[in-house]
């Protein structure tokens, strides 16, 4: 603390003697007026003034001078002896009074010194406060952290009379402190202190130890010899460093001031440094927080901007009664602007109804958005009327005074849901129709069987009954075949048996199948087929299936006496086969739909029960397996339909004459074994074969099948695979092991005919494979061809 400088003692004594002489002179000059009655008159004030102003010792000098001068005047005059009692009393009073004055004066003098010291201290504080106040103003004006820290250092150095100052910070987990701001250093010095390793030098140590480090004289302090060179070049001797504390209680940097002269810190130094360190801490933390917040905001902004999910923030607009009647776009991401079909700038700050006047026409939307002001809400809605068929899923939550809204276009999902429901409905309808279709043939079959068995039935009636049964069974077989084929196509299990085929023969076969329907409905059939043969590498049975399906539909969906046309023409290496009718036609919106599974276009109640809705799906699937296309065309209801199959052609086979030659079928009787645990199936097949003149042996399980084989030595054996005792495969293996067993033609008969089953059958020794229900015509053809050819082979050998 500063104290006023005491007056030099000699000067005080000279002044006190001067004062005493002045009092003596005045006493002497006024003697003619007052006589000798008041020898101390002027000495009282002189002693008082001397004691107060110059101290008690000069006051004592004045007192003694006054005493001497008064005693010289007193009787006996001219001596220092006082004879008269009254004079002695006056002397005593003088001594006592002046003693008192001396004591009071001393006291006052001390008080005055203290007051003067306090005054000086106050002035210094006012000066410091003024400087700090000015600093506050500068800090408020600046927003850049380095500038703010520099202002702090300048003020601190100014107040302390320091040589230089620096503030260094540690960035994250760096090993060194980076000097962020410094004043008073030369550019070279600044470069040298740009980074200080933690624990190195006074400021690195202050940081590492979390405590102030004071170097009173760099050259005398043994702790930091490395600092001397820098201090010498920059011209400082003392260093006062202190850590910068964070609000969380740890240390993130240091503040240091350097002095030209050796010096320890005063209390004021410490106070000012503390204050400035706190200010610097607050500023650095605020800047870091701002940077972190900005970085976080930038991340959120990038996420929102690049998000494909539309997002916006809406603030409510209330009417005079405080009811929310509209919302305003406060923020939108690009995805939201895109959905709304406008630029972000055109939407931000605008009311929703300004852009979409009908936005709140939806009965519940505004209510839901109001609810979102109070709590999160999720819902799906379809905007009216501008939204068309689009569906949106909205997720809205309160955000500040508004609502943050995510919305996603879920039209596709809704469409899928609808399609799923539709498929489900179609499946139910299909099951109902299938049941109906399967039950339909049963009634005539049952009645025909009754008639056929009746003893009173005429041969004509019996034949008629058998015809009915055969027709109805054929109908059911086609139905089941179609179903199985559709299932195989869907599972990718259907195999094509391709061969180079003259498409005319395929068309003839298809026509043969459709002819009964066309004829029964008295429809006109026109065939427009080129004379030149059209060859294609196809599975003839499957192409015939497609065409008979199309012809069957044409007949089914055309009124009696209508016209059906089958045409073919060459086009760019392809054949375009068209099945055209002038029937009920197809509405344009259903042209694609008819190829979907279980689809039936409801044109009239009569048309509804005409099929299962799988024929076209199956036909298109088969066409696609051939690399072909199948499309539909119609000018609408009542205007007929045209189905077009476009198929790639190939070259005619080299042995054209042989391929084209009509097959010669002459039936020869053969020995056949039929084995099936389904007695009806076995016996009916045996019956058909016997009618054709073959010699048939029967067996109903695997073991007896083997015995029968040994007994009759058949040329061909038709064996069911799933038989009791021994499976068909086991029987086949056993037959092949018999002497002469390898010569027989073995045919496997299975329910499903999966690839796996076929492979297993082939392994067991089977030559052919048929899927149930077995078509007797196919069996007869096979017997004819294979047994004949193997017989020829044998005879040729
Ligand atoms: P199905 O004939 O068994 O119902 P399809 O898959 O063959 O099944 O046909 C699907 C639907 O396509 C039919 O129900 C019918 O509505 C329509 N369709 C097919 N062919 C024709 C055609 N030639 N004329 C009019 N409509 C047709």
């Amino acid at each position: 603390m500063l104290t006023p400088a005491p007056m030099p003692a000699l000067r005080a004594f000279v002044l006190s003697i001067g004062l005493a002489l002045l009092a003596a002179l005045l006493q002497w000059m006024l003697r003619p007026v007052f006589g000798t009655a008041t020898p101390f008159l002027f000495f009282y004030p002189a002693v008082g003034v001397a004691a107060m102003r110059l101290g008690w010792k000069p006051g004592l000098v004045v007192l003694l001078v006054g005493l001497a001068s008064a005693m010289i005047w007193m009787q006996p005059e001219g001596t220092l002896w006082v004879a008269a009692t009254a004079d002695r009393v006056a002397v005593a009073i003088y001594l006592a009074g002046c003693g008192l004055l001396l004591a009071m004066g001393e006291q006052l003098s001390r008080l005055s010194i203290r007051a003067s010291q306090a005054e000086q201290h106050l002035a210094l504080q006012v000066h410091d406060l003024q400087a700090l106040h000015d600093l506050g103003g500068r800090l408020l004006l600046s927003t850049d952290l380095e500038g703010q820290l520099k202002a702090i250092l300048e003020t601190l150095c100014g107040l302390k009379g320091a040589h230089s100052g620096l503030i260094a910070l540690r960035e994250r987990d760096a090993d060194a402190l980076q000097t962020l701001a410094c004043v008073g250093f030369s550019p070279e010095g600044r470069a040298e202190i740009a980074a200080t390793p933690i624990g190195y030098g006074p400021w690195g140590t202050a940081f590492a130890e979390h405590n102030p480090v004071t170097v009173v004289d760099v050259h005398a302090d043994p702790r930091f010899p490395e600092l001397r060179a820098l201090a010498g070049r920059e011209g400082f001797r003392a260093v006062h460093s202190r850590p910068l504390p964070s609000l969380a209680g740890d240390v993130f940097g240091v503040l240091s001031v350097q002095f030209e002269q050796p010096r320890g810190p005063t209390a004021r130094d410490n106070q000012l440094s503390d204050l400035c360190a706190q200010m610097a801490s607050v500023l650095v933390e605020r800047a870091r927080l701002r940077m972190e917040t900005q970085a976080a905001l930038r991340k959120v902004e990038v996420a929102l901007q690049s998000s494909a999910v539309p997002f916006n923030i809406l603030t409510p607009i209330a009417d005079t009664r405080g009811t929310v009647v509209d919302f305003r776009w406060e923020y939108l991401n690009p995805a939201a602007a895109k959905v709304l079909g406008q630029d972000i700038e055109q939407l931000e700050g605008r009311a929703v109804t300004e852009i979409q006047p009908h936005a709140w026409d939806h009965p519940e939307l505004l209510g839901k958005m109001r609810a979102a002001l109070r709590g999160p809400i999720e819902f799906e809605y379809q905007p009216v009327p501008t939204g068309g068929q689009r569906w949106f899923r909205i997720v809205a939550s309160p955000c500040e005074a508004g609502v943050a809204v995510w919305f996603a276009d879920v039209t596709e999902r809704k469409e899928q849901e609808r399609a799923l429901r539709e498929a489900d409905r179609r499946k139910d309808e299909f099951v109902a129709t299938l049941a109906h279709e399967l039950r339909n043939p049963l009634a005539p079959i049952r009645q025909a069987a009754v008639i056929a068995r009746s003893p009173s039935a005429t041969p004509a009636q019996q034949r008629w009954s058998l015809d009915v049964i055969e027709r109805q069974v054929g109908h059911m077989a086609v139905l089941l075949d179609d179903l199985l084929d559709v299932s195989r196509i869907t599972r990718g299990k259907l195999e094509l048996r391709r061969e180079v085929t003259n498409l005319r023969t395929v068309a003839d076969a298809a026509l043969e199948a459709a002819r009964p329907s066309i004829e029964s409905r008295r429809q006109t059939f026109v065939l427009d087929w080129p004379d030149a043969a059209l060859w294609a590498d196809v599975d003839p049975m499957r192409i015939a299936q497609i065409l008979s399906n199309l012809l069957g539909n044409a007949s089914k969906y055309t009124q009696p006496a209508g016209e059906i046309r089958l045409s073919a023409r060459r086009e760019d290496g392809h054949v375009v086969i068209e099945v055209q009718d002038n029937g009920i036609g197809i509405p344009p919106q259903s042209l694609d739909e008819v190829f979907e599974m279980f689809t039936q276009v409801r044109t009239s109640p009569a048309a509804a029960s005409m099929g299962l809705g799988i024929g076209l799906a199956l036909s298109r699937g088969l066409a696609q397996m051939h690399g072909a296309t199948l499309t539909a065309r119609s000018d609408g209801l009542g205007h007929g339909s045209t189905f077009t199959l476009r198929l790639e052609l190939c070259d005619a086979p080299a042995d054209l004459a042989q391929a084209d030659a009509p097959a010669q079928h002459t039936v020869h009787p053969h020995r056949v074994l039929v084995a099936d645990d389904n007695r009806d199936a076995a016996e009916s097949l045996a019956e058909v074969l016997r009618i054709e003149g073959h010699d048939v042996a029967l067996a109903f399980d695997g073991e007896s099948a083997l015995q029968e084989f040994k007994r009759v030595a058949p040329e061909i054996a038709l064996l069911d695979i799933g038989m009791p005792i021994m499976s068909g495969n086991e029987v086949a293996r056993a037959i092949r092991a018999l002497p002469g067993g390898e010569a027989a033609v073995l045919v496997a008969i299975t329910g499903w005919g999966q690839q796996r089953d076929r492979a297993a059958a082939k392994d067991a020794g089977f030559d052919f494979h048929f899927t149930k229900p077995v078509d007797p015509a196919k069996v007869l053809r096979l017997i004819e061809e294979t047994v004949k050819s193997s017989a020829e082979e044998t005879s040729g050998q």
Side-chain angles (χ1 to χ4, degrees):
M1 189 189 285
L2 292 178
T3 50
M7 194 178 285
L10 185 64
R11 194 163 153 239
F13 274 105
V14 172
L15 281 175
S16 65
I17 288 171
L19 196 63
L21 290 178
L22 180 68
L25 185 67
L26 287 172
Q27 202 70 41
W28 181 77
M29 279 169 52
L30 290 178
R31 192 166 175 186
V33 183
F34 298 115
T36 57
T38 57
F40 300 111
L41 185 64
F42 290 101
F43 282 98
Y44 278 112
V47 169
V49 167
M52 268 188 286
R53 287 303 201 182
L54 307 173
W56 68 274
K57 287 176 186 163
L60 187 62
V61 171
V62 178
L63 181 147
L64 292 175
V65 171
L67 183 63
S69 98
M71 287 172 82
I72 289 171
W73 282 4
M74 286 177 180
Q75 293 300 323
E77 207 170 329
T79 66
L80 288 176
W81 178 245
V82 180
T85 310
D87 286 345
R88 283 185 183 165
V89 171
V91 167
I93 289 172
Y94 172 69
L95 285 176
C98 284
L100 207 62
L101 279 175
L102 283 183
M104 280 168 58
E106 174 65 16
Q107 196 60 31
L108 277 173
S109 159
R110 281 204 190 139
L111 282 175
S112 139
I113 287 170
R114 234 185 272 161
S116 150
Q117 282 174 338
E119 193 182 346
Q120 280 184 31
H121 184 69
L122 205 63
L124 203 61
Q125 279 195 335
V126 168
H127 171 257
D128 288 354
L129 279 175
Q130 186 58 48
L132 292 170
H133 177 261
D134 292 348
L135 172 63
R138 281 176 71 189
L139 293 181
L140 281 180
L141 287 179
S142 165
T143 50
D144 121 77
L145 179 64
E146 197 183 328
Q148 288 172 326
L149 297 181
K150 235 173 172 167
I152 291 176
L153 288 174
E154 277 164 6
T155 303
L156 187 61
C157 290
L159 289 174
K160 289 188 175 184
H163 160 273
S164 57
L166 70 87
I167 289 176
L169 304 179
R170 183 192 202 180
E171 291 297 338
R172 295 195 176 275
D173 297 329
D175 300 334
L177 298 173
Q178 302 296 323
T179 300
L180 197 63
C182 67
V183 294
F185 283 96
S186 69
E188 296 76 32
R190 212 174 295 167
E192 214 170 311
I193 59 163
T196 311
I198 289 165
Y200 182 84
W203 41 91
T205 307
F207 179 88
E209 293 177 358
H210 289 205
N211 269 319
V213 170
T214 303
V215 181
V216 177
D217 186 351
V218 172
H219 299 295
D221 196 317
R223 289 177 298 168
F224 308 109
E226 69 278 2
L227 194 65
R228 284 175 199 157
L230 174 70
R233 279 195 300 278
E234 292 296 314
F236 64 83
R237 293 284 294 273
V239 181
H240 298 177
S241 290
R242 60 179 49 241
L244 289 176
S246 75
L247 291 177
D250 52 347
V251 166
F252 61 82
V254 285
L255 177 149
S256 180
V257 279
Q258 289 67 236
F259 298 91
E260 278 174 14
Q261 297 305 323
R263 151 170 181 173
T266 62
R268 175 173 168 266
D269 278 349
N270 287 339
Q271 254 177 8
L272 286 172
S273 292
D274 274 350
L275 211 66
C276 287
Q278 276 165 15
M279 273 194 215
S281 296
V282 169
L283 289 174
V284 170
E285 288 220 298
R286 212 172 59 186
R288 284 190 170 171
L289 211 66
R290 202 168 45 227
M291 270 159 57
E292 277 167 21
T293 313
Q294 277 168 356
L297 276 176
R298 263 199 305 278
K299 274 187 213 159
V300 172
E301 182 70 12
V302 167
L304 288 177
Q305 290 287 318
S306 57
S307 166
V309 184
F311 173 77
N312 56 43
I313 295 177
L314 297 167
T315 45
I317 301 173
D319 63 7
T320 46
R321 282 171 301 160
T323 310
V324 174
V325 289
D326 198 355
F327 281 84
R328 195 185 301 287
W329 276 295
E330 195 178 297
Y331 171 87
L332 297 103
N333 71 352
K338 196 170 158 203
V339 168
L340 293 162
Q342 307 256 1
D343 289 341
I344 293 178
E345 300 74 46
Q346 288 173 305
L347 293 164
E348 261 173 3
R350 306 276 291 278
V352 172
T353 44
E354 267 183 74
I355 306 293
Q356 297 191 324
H358 300 286
W360 309 124
D361 286 1
H362 190 282
E364 289 167 15
L365 186 61
L366 187 58
K368 291 200 160 144
M369 294 304 285
R370 284 183 193 137
L373 284 164
R374 299 186 297 274
I377 184 167
E378 264 187 68
F379 57 96
E380 285 177 1
Y381 94 114
Q382 196 173 25
V384 281
T386 48
Q389 298 302 310
R390 291 161 77 193
W391 273 91
F392 289 95
R393 177 166 190 78
I394 309 275
V395 179
S397 340
C399 169
E400 301 280 320
V403 193
V405 185
W406 293 94
F407 58 100
D409 191 332
V410 290
T411 314
E412 207 172 306
R413 203 204 68 213
K414 282 274 177 191
E415 182 50 36
Q416 282 166 356
E417 281 173 8
R418 194 203 58 75
L420 215 63
R421 275 197 304 275
E422 171 63 17
D424 205 39
R425 187 194 60 74
R426 271 202 242 137
K427 189 201 71 200
D428 290 347
E429 210 169 81
F430 164 75
V431 171
T433 320
L434 178 62
H436 178 78
E437 290 287 314
L438 289 174
R439 214 176 31 232
N440 264 352
L442 289 180
I445 289 175
R446 194 175 288 151
Q447 285 153 15
V450 171
I451 294 170
R453 215 187 293 134
S454 159
S456 55
T458 64
Q461 279 175 323
Q462 282 177 340
R463 245 193 330 277
W464 174 85
S465 307
L466 295 175
D467 281 351
V468 166
I469 292 172
E470 192 177 356
R471 207 167 39 247
Q472 294 300 335
V473 167
H475 181 66
M476 284 174 89
V478 167
L479 207 70
L480 292 174
D481 275 349
D482 277 1
L483 277 174
L484 291 174
D485 284 346
V486 166
S487 147
R488 284 185 199 126
I489 288 187
T490 333
R491 291 177 298 127
K493 296 281 189 229
L494 193 115
E495 278 172 42
L496 293 181
R497 299 204 185 139
R498 284 178 187 262
E499 58 188 74
V500 176
T501 309
N502 181 349
L503 292 175
R504 177 59 192 264
T505 51
V506 171
D508 284 346
L511 192 54
E512 216 38 58
R515 194 181 295 283
S517 165
I518 296 173
E519 281 174 0
S520 72
R521 292 168 73 80
R522 289 172 286 102
Q523 288 157 333
T524 313
F525 178 74
V526 180
L527 180 69
D528 179 6
W529 202 274
D531 290 336
L534 298 163
W535 295 95
D537 185 17
V538 293
D539 182 334
M541 210 182 87
R542 296 307 184 179
I543 298 295
Q545 199 176 348
I546 297 175
L547 294 181
S548 68
N549 227 321
L550 297 181
L551 287 166
N553 275 352
S555 170
K556 209 161 46 166
Y557 299 110
T558 300
Q559 61 288 359
E563 187 183 283
I564 292 155
R565 173 183 287 269
L566 171 64
S567 67
R569 64 177 189 277
R570 244 175 211 285
E571 209 176 86
D572 307 329
H574 288 75
V575 60
V576 177
I577 302 175
E578 286 188 337
V579 176
Q580 203 177 352
D581 65 60
N582 61 354
I584 60 172
I586 301 169
Q589 70 274 13
S590 304
L591 280 173
D592 261 341
E593 212 180 288
V594 291
F595 292 103
E596 283 171 29
M597 193 87 111
F598 315 138
T599 300
Q600 292 181 314
V601 183
R602 300 236 171 248
T603 43
S604 69
S609 59
M610 291 171 108
L612 279 179
I614 57 171
L616 287 180
L618 173 60
S619 299
R620 184 173 259 187
L622 290 172
Q624 282 166 350
M625 285 183 74
H626 281 87
T629 55
L630 178 62
T631 50
R633 218 166 60 233
S634 170
D635 290 335
L637 286 178
H639 290 94
S641 322
T642 304
F643 285 82
T644 308
L645 175 69
R646 194 181 149 86
L647 188 67
E648 198 176 343
L649 289 173
C650 72
D651 293 334
D655 51 349
L656 186 58
Q658 207 184 332
D660 229 5
Q664 294 291 324
H665 296 295
T666 342
V667 178
H668 302 281
H670 294 289
R671 288 187 310 283
V672 183
L673 168 66
V674 174
D676 195 330
D677 60 333
N678 182 335
R679 276 175 177 266
D680 282 352
E683 278 170 351
S684 59
L685 182 58
E687 211 46 49
V688 174
L689 297 178
R690 281 187 192 123
I691 289 170
E692 290 296 320
H694 298 295
D695 183 4
V696 185
L698 265 173
F700 306 120
D701 61 65
E703 199 176 29
S704 39
L706 188 59
Q707 279 161 9
E708 281 299 291
F709 188 91
K710 287 177 188 160
R711 191 176 63 81
V712 298
E715 294 148 281
I716 184 161
L718 299 150
L719 306 174
D720 179 28
I721 296 294
M723 283 189 295
I725 312 179
M726 272 176 99
S727 76
N729 285 339
E730 286 165 342
V731 177
R733 267 198 200 90
I735 290 175
R736 290 296 186 218
L738 291 174
E742 70 278 1
V745 175
L746 299 187
V747 181
I749 296 175
T750 58
W752 273 91
Q754 301 243 13
Q755 193 57 41
R756 239 191 2 254
D757 304 338
R758 286 173 185 273
K762 204 169 171 198
D763 251 22
F766 279 105
D767 300 299
F768 296 97
H769 191 278
F770 278 178
T771 310
K772 285 183 180 176
V774 181
D775 180 353
K778 275 190 192 167
V779 177
L780 287 170
R781 211 163 40 241
L782 181 86
I783 294 173
E784 263 322 294
E785 285 169 6
T786 55
V787 181
K788 192 179 94 200
S789 62
S790 58
E792 278 166 3
E793 269 169 35
T794 328
S795 61
Q797 269 170 5

